[in-house]
Amino acid sequence: MDNKQNVGAPDRDRINVNEDYELQYWSEALCVSRDELRNAVKEAGTSAEKVKAYLNK
């Protein structure tokens, strides 16, 4: 489970699609649907940078 008190760099660098608030935040931040974000994380992993790179292909 995601520790909402731990909001330092490691937490911001990872995308947890199992947490609704993160799914909402990242889908809006990256201008993609929640399903597109889930698929990108499935393909690229949880690293925010890798997901961004995957979506920019």
Side-chain angles (χ1 to χ4, degrees):
M1 181 137 186
D2 192 23
N3 181 353
K4 293 172 182 63
Q5 300 301 316
N6 181 13
V7 293
D11 203 42
R12 285 192 299 253
D13 293 340
R14 301 273 176 225
I15 300 172
N16 182 352
V17 295
N18 297 313
E19 292 287 347
D20 191 59
Y21 74 97
E22 285 201 33
L23 191 59
Q24 180 179 345
Y25 170 80
W26 284 108
S27 63
E28 290 175 7
L30 298 172
C31 299
V32 296
S33 71
R34 290 175 178 222
D35 287 337
E36 289 172 313
L37 181 61
R38 283 187 191 101
N39 184 59
V41 169
K42 183 179 176 184
E43 295 296 321
T46 60
S47 164
E49 290 304 314
K50 288 183 180 180
V51 169
K52 289 175 189 176
Y54 176 85
L55 291 169
N56 287 324
K57 282 186 182 178

